[in-house]
Amino acid sequence: MNQFVLQQGCSRELQMFPHIIEFGVKKNISIQLDSLPDTTVDNIRIYYIMDGKFEWNIHERQYILYPGDIAFILPNERFGGTKGFLEIGTLSWIHINAQKPENGKMQFGNWSRLSENETQMIGKILLLNKSVVLERLSEASRIFVSLQSELFNHEIGYHTRVNQLLDELLIIITRRLTRQTNSGRDFSKNFLQLEQKLREDLSHQWTVEEMAATVGMGTTLFNERVKSYSGFSPLNYLINIRISEAIKLLKKPDLNVTDIALDTGFYSSQHFSTTFKKLTGYTPSEFRKKNIS
Amino acid sequence: MECIISIELGTNAVRVYAFDLKGNTIGFANGSYPTFHPNPDYSEQDPEQIFITMLYVLKNFLSEKIHPKKYKILSICFSASMHSVLAIDKNGVPLGNAITWADNRGKKEAQVLRNSPLAEIIYHATGTPIHPMSPLIKIAWLKNQDKERFKQTYKFLSIKGYIIQQLTGAYVIDYSIGSATGLMNIHNKKWDPTALDYAGITVDQLPELVPIFYSPGKLLSQYQISLGLNQETKILVGSSDGCFATLGAGVWDDGKATVTIEDSAAVRVVGQRALQDKNCRLFNYILDEQYYISGGPSNNGGKAFEWFAKQFGDFKNAYDLESCMDDLIAEAVTVDAGSEGLLFLPYLLGERAPIWNANARGVFFGININHERKHFTRATIEGILYEMYSIENLLQEHRDIKRISVNGSFATIPFCTQLIADIFNKPVSVSPNANTVSLGAYLLSATEIGIYQNLDDAAKSIVLPDAFKPNKNNHNVYLKYYAIFENLSRKLFDEFEALSAVADP
């Protein structure tokens, strides 16, 4: 790949793609001080390393990147060279405009052909993992090369192709993220990981697809494994955790029942009350009265 | 039709069984709950999650399998893992998570106590070896390291005690679980003043000690409604999983020892007198007014083989550990006894009986250029069973053991059962019921309603199938390897200590 930098507002190649803020390839042959200071990024940034070795700080963690590695950085997070400069080597990058995540939801924009469900799930997984470095993500190389050729050659259908490639890039990054710690051997480990993720964000309206993706599995296998491992369907297991947490909160006198319901992921205090009573025989307020005297 | 329900609050899951009055299983349901390790030495469980999971499983089980057939439920009998501690405040609200048997946070406390003259006195009075598993040590740890929680604690319960309190309102602990706390005097069945003094607590901070047949009262009315039960269903406190597994394994008066291997493992004998091991290595837990269950526990049962399978097995299907283990065992069968000179010390999780060393580690010894995976597989299994044999050897100093019965998912794999027969050189019978813990609970309930005169009688009702016979030639081979195994376990003590000092300073 030759060196180039395309920037939104300056480069005609990006006119059709307002969501691509910057796209470039750089072969860095000399070190310049302060060429990569620590900053807070405001877009999604994806770097692909082609040659050399880079030491970066991403979201308060230090990484060393080698050829084939991908760095994925979310808006609002810190990013910069560990020593403040860009090391010698070759890399490609793209900055994609994304609205700041709200309520744990990520919006990519109208260009994306991902369904609403998929966007939510991908956003969720990216946000859960924060910024990351993925080692030897070889599929990324092909996408960066194709992106460049589509943007410069303007062959028929290029508008659709570029956006497809961006979607694909997000998909392969997400898939790798969910599979990273997952060997296909130790389900109990994955299940504990899932349990922790669920507890960290209990108010979220989890779907089975999201839960499965969190541990890098397809939903069919996931359903089957959860059932045989835990005795519960994934959603029933989630209700277990919700009610257990709710019980703990009900035993603290200073929280109101509606807040507890919403904090533990029930749609409403009514939904909470019905579910709770069915299992324990008590309404949440009766239960509270019994336990706080 | 009448039935009996047993609820086992196990290490990873709650298991609910229904039995008819003849002891046939009518139905089964289970539900898991996680163990949290906020720190490598910690093992904790959420008491509310255990309670809700139990309630959920029980409710669904009753409404799907029992109520539609109009069964009359005579009693619900509980069992649970031993050694758990849950601190609660004066409103009965848990102060943090329950600390489970596997928790090692009290390592230092245990070591200090073991080196003091108090250790022997407490051990002989309470029957529980001085080890971080013991609630005695856990409470001492809370006293020293978590002063705030210790100060706020109204009572120290067990997990089962908490569940029973939630369901009935009563604060009780049965003799079996009680005798595994290191706080109860097993000779007079009262809380032991010396042990309590060491732990820094008073009698009123502990629940009431009751026999395993005791009924703590009716279900609270709300739970009667939600579970669809009436107040005629009797609640029985029951016993511990270890005691029930031994009871459920049947007759014990003819020199029989029971080998249980699940994730962890134990070798146990039943007798009317506690075993006084001069090195404090054996436990003595109370079954009922008459019997003690004595033996030694191991951390490294099926868990050690599972570790091996996860690391080195072929997973043809994702997460299909079972067929992966089956394939490995099929390979191991083709290797001769003794694994062609490869030995395995299974101490992946440290070890309890008989070496009682939390710093012990796993070791493969004697690897040569011809060893393949199948040798390692077989050596792993042999190593786990040599460890069981070493506990049996210790028990032999006190009892004349003539026969073995085995239960638990690992010990009942036919290949492993035959290996136990060969290594121990004794006939080995497999318990006919897959879940001997629940069967033990059934025997207790059935005795309580008068089907059997006493537990002795109840145990005799279990008919053991034909035994696996030992192979003399293999036994002679195993004996030679076992001598090396035993020596290694002893000789490596200093190196285990040194490694621990370097690896986890």
Side-chain angles (χ1 to χ4, degrees):
Chain A
M1 278 166 109
N2 297 320
Q3 294 194 74
F4 66 89
V5 178
L6 303 177
Q7 281 179 320
Q8 191 56 247
C10 316
S11 313
R12 275 187 40 219
E13 288 84 352
L14 295 184
Q15 253 175 14
M16 301 277 286
F17 307 97
H19 49 286
I20 301 179
I21 306 301
E22 196 172 300
F23 180 48
V25 171
K26 186 175 173 80
K27 188 168 181 181
N28 197 30
I29 47 169
S30 65
I31 285 175
Q32 290 180 11
L33 292 178
D34 290 329
S35 50
L36 194 61
D38 203 43
T39 50
T40 302
V41 308
D42 40 13
N43 299 303
I44 292 177
R45 292 195 185 185
I46 303 169
Y47 290 88
Y48 177 68
I49 310 299
M50 298 190 286
D51 192 25
K53 173 184 161 191
F54 297 85
E55 290 184 39
W56 290 348
N57 289 342
I58 304 172
H59 193 55
E60 287 159 9
R61 261 191 68 181
Q62 205 172 318
Y63 294 93
I64 301 176
L65 292 94
Y66 296 98
D69 293 355
I70 280 265
F72 179 86
I73 303 147
L74 286 164
N76 292 330
E77 296 195 335
R78 307 285 300 172
F79 166 66
T82 302
K83 300 185 186 103
F85 56 74
L86 186 69
E87 285 102 335
I88 290 170
T90 311
L91 74 172
S92 179
W93 67 91
I94 187 162
H95 299 177
I96 304 169
N97 183 28
Q99 283 151 20
K100 281 180 190 161
E102 266 177 54
N103 311 326
K105 276 186 193 160
M106 194 111 97
Q107 302 273 330
F108 298 120
N110 293 332
W111 58 268
S112 171
R113 286 288 157 268
L114 295 169
S115 74
E116 195 178 328
N117 250 338
E118 286 171 332
T119 308
Q120 259 198 29
M121 248 186 291
I122 288 178
K124 175 93 198 155
I125 288 158
L126 293 176
L127 289 173
L128 269 174
N129 286 280
K130 302 271 173 359
S131 301
V132 281
V133 168
L134 301 171
E135 285 169 27
R136 277 174 296 184
L137 192 61
S138 50
E139 294 153 285
S141 155
R142 175 183 51 80
I143 294 178
F144 274 92
V145 173
S146 307
L147 268 175
Q148 184 187 354
S149 99
E150 294 290 347
L151 282 169
F152 282 102
N153 298 341
H154 287 193
E155 277 189 65
I156 187 162
Y158 78 96
H159 185 217
T160 304
R161 278 288 286 150
V162 166
N163 289 337
Q164 277 176 349
L165 287 163
L166 291 181
D167 276 340
E168 197 180 342
L169 189 57
L170 291 172
I171 290 170
I172 61 160
I173 288 173
T174 309
R175 284 193 180 175
R176 170 62 84 83
L177 268 177
T178 61
R179 274 174 206 158
Q180 216 168 18
T181 50
N182 168 331
S183 61
R185 288 165 178 259
D186 197 345
F187 186 71
S188 55
K189 223 182 226 170
N190 288 329
F191 194 71
L192 193 59
Q193 233 173 47
L194 172 69
E195 167 107 19
Q196 267 150 3
K197 295 239 161 98
L198 295 176
R199 281 168 176 270
E200 276 164 26
D201 193 6
L202 212 49
S203 61
H204 176 72
Q205 296 304 316
W206 290 90
T207 62
V208 177
E209 288 79 6
E210 272 175 343
M211 288 159 81
T214 309
V215 290
M217 294 171 73
T219 47
T220 315
L221 180 64
F222 177 73
N223 265 318
E224 190 186 297
R225 286 291 143 188
V226 171
K227 179 81 189 152
S228 77
Y229 180 81
S230 76
F232 296 101
S233 72
L235 288 177
N236 281 345
Y237 191 82
L238 179 60
I239 291 178
N240 262 353
I241 304 180
R242 288 196 161 131
I243 296 194
S244 317
E245 278 306 305
I247 282 186
K248 261 180 248 171
L249 298 174
L250 283 171
K251 289 180 178 176
K252 294 182 181 160
D254 43 347
L255 298 167
N256 88 48
V257 175
T258 310
D259 288 347
I260 293 175
L262 299 179
D263 282 354
T264 52
F266 293 94
Y267 306 115
S268 63
S269 56
Q270 190 53 46
H271 176 217
F272 174 43
S273 194
T274 326
T275 316
F276 194 86
K277 183 157 183 175
K278 212 156 71 184
L279 190 57
T280 65
Y282 294 98
T283 66
S285 340
E286 285 165 0
F287 183 86
R288 165 172 272 183
K289 226 177 276 164
K290 186 193 75 134
N291 279 284
I292 304 173
S293 40
Chain B
M1 278 176 297
E2 292 167 319
C3 77
I4 286 167
I5 303 274
S6 91
I7 298 178
E8 181 196 348
L9 301 158
T11 301
N12 309 309
V14 53
R15 285 177 276 274
V16 178
Y17 279 84
F19 295 94
D20 67 19
L21 295 194
K22 292 189 181 117
N24 301 310
T25 305
I26 303 170
F28 161 73
N30 70 323
S32 77
Y33 33 78
T35 302
F36 302 108
H37 307 282
N39 178 311
D41 273 337
Y42 290 19
S43 284
E44 300 186 345
Q45 287 179 329
D46 177 353
E48 308 294 15
Q49 188 169 10
I50 294 179
F51 178 62
I52 286 303
T53 304
M54 187 276 304
L55 208 55
Y56 207 137
V57 171
L58 180 61
K59 183 182 160 69
N60 283 347
F61 177 69
L62 293 178
S63 64
E64 284 164 19
K65 306 222 173 98
I66 300 301
H67 294 329
K69 294 191 180 149
K70 306 268 183 262
Y71 278 107
K72 182 177 177 207
I73 301 166
L74 298 183
S75 60
I76 297 179
C77 178
F78 284 87
S79 68
S81 314
M82 296 177 278
H83 312 307
S84 63
V85 171
L86 175 67
I88 54 155
D89 72 9
K90 59 181 191 324
N91 293 320
V93 176
L95 297 163
N97 281 334
I99 305 173
T100 77
W101 66 270
D103 194 285
N104 271 322
R105 73 184 71 190
K107 263 200 268 195
K108 284 216 180 76
E109 276 75 9
Q111 206 162 16
V112 172
L113 178 56
R114 214 177 302 145
N115 293 329
S116 91
L118 203 53
E120 239 187 287
I121 300 171
I122 293 183
Y123 166 74
H124 287 296
T126 66
T128 306
I130 307 296
H131 183 269
M133 71 181 182
S134 173
L136 168 85
I137 299 296
K138 288 170 179 147
I139 295 174
W141 182 91
L142 288 167
K143 179 183 69 174
N144 298 336
Q145 309 291 334
D146 195 347
K147 300 193 169 87
E148 197 48 38
R149 172 148 53 149
F150 185 78
K151 217 171 71 192
Q152 284 178 36
T153 303
Y154 168 66
K155 276 186 198 299
F156 293 98
L157 304 180
S158 66
I159 287 176
K160 187 171 88 173
Y162 179 70
I163 302 300
I164 288 179
Q165 191 274 332
Q166 289 295 295
L167 291 173
T168 67
Y171 286 115
V172 292
I173 185 166
D174 63 83
Y175 287 164
S176 303
I177 301 260
S179 60
T181 58
L183 295 160
M184 175 187 172
N185 187 306
I186 54 168
H187 309 289
N188 65 16
K189 302 191 177 68
K190 296 198 167 79
W191 295 118
D192 185 72
T194 316
L196 265 61
D197 196 46
Y198 163 79
I201 55 172
T202 55
V203 171
D204 53 0
Q205 282 179 286
L206 293 167
E208 185 193 348
L209 282 162
V210 298
I212 55 175
F213 286 100
Y214 182 83
S215 175
K218 304 290 171 207
L219 273 184
L220 295 178
S221 61
Q222 295 307 323
Y223 295 117
Q224 288 180 24
I225 297 167
S226 74
L227 295 169
L229 295 170
N230 59 40
Q231 49 172 336
E232 276 159 43
T233 298
K234 200 164 188 177
I235 307 296
L236 298 175
V237 285
S239 177
S240 65
D241 52 4
C243 286
F244 270 158
T246 315
L247 174 61
V251 280
W252 55 55
D253 53 5
D254 55 348
K256 193 190 77 177
T258 300
V259 174
T260 304
I261 315 180
E262 296 275 1
D263 282 356
S264 58
V267 184
R268 302 180 179 98
V269 293
V270 185
Q272 304 205 18
R273 290 183 30 213
L275 308 182
Q276 301 292 346
D277 181 50
K278 57 184 187 311
N279 295 315
C280 311
R281 290 166 298 181
L282 296 170
F283 59 70
N284 291 288
Y285 300 140
I286 296 174
L287 177 62
D288 68 353
E289 308 294 331
Q290 223 181 338
Y291 290 107
Y292 289 99
I293 294 196
S294 310
S298 160
N299 292 347
N300 302 290
K303 199 83 184 166
F305 185 59
E306 210 180 280
W307 165 82
F308 181 84
K310 279 175 187 168
Q311 309 311 317
F312 307 114
D314 299 322
F315 279 73
K316 287 173 197 143
N317 306 309
Y319 304 109
D320 188 359
L321 185 61
E322 247 162 63
S323 49
C324 165
M325 295 205 289
D326 288 348
D327 293 350
L328 284 173
I329 288 172
E331 254 179 33
V333 172
T334 65
V335 179
D336 287 342
S339 305
E340 297 181 25
L342 186 58
L343 270 164
F344 175 60
L345 307 193
Y347 310 133
L348 304 181
L349 294 160
E351 189 52 296
R352 290 186 284 170
I355 60 171
W356 293 97
N357 182 359
N359 293 328
R361 298 275 188 120
V363 177
F364 278 106
F365 180 78
I367 308 166
N368 75 26
I369 198 82
N370 292 324
H371 284 139
E372 298 167 22
R373 181 178 69 181
K374 60 185 180 184
H375 300 95
F376 282 84
T377 309
R378 183 164 184 129
T380 302
I381 296 169
E382 289 175 350
I384 293 167
L385 301 178
Y386 288 147
E387 180 60 16
M388 294 287 99
Y389 185 52
S390 71
I391 299 173
E392 197 235 16
N393 275 335
L394 186 56
L395 286 168
Q396 291 265 27
E397 293 174 14
H398 303 268
R399 293 281 169 77
D400 185 18
I401 297 170
K402 299 196 188 80
R403 323 189 289 118
I404 305 291
S405 74
V406 297
N407 55 48
S409 52
F410 186 77
T412 52
I413 297 168
F415 175 64
C416 297
T417 311
Q418 183 60 52
L419 243 63
I420 293 173
D422 295 354
I423 293 173
F424 287 48
N425 197 28
K426 289 181 179 118
V428 177
S429 322
V430 179
S431 294
N433 193 304
N435 190 305
T436 42
V437 177
S438 300
L439 193 60
Y442 157 77
L443 293 176
L444 180 140
S445 309
T447 306
E448 199 269 339
I449 54 177
I451 295 179
Y452 303 108
Q453 284 198 328
N454 49 41
L455 291 182
D456 211 352
D457 216 32
K460 284 187 184 129
S461 71
I462 305 295
V463 182
L464 292 176
D466 284 350
F468 286 66
K469 304 264 182 325
N471 175 321
K472 191 74 193 158
N473 291 338
N474 286 349
H475 176 68
N476 290 334
V477 173
Y478 289 132
L479 263 192
K480 288 177 196 151
Y481 283 114
Y482 175 72
I484 302 171
F485 175 95
E486 207 186 5
N487 283 337
L488 279 175
S489 296
R490 197 179 55 242
K491 283 186 181 168
L492 287 174
F493 180 85
D494 290 338
E495 283 68 28
F496 288 145
E497 293 304 304
L499 186 61
S500 160
V502 176
D504 12 70

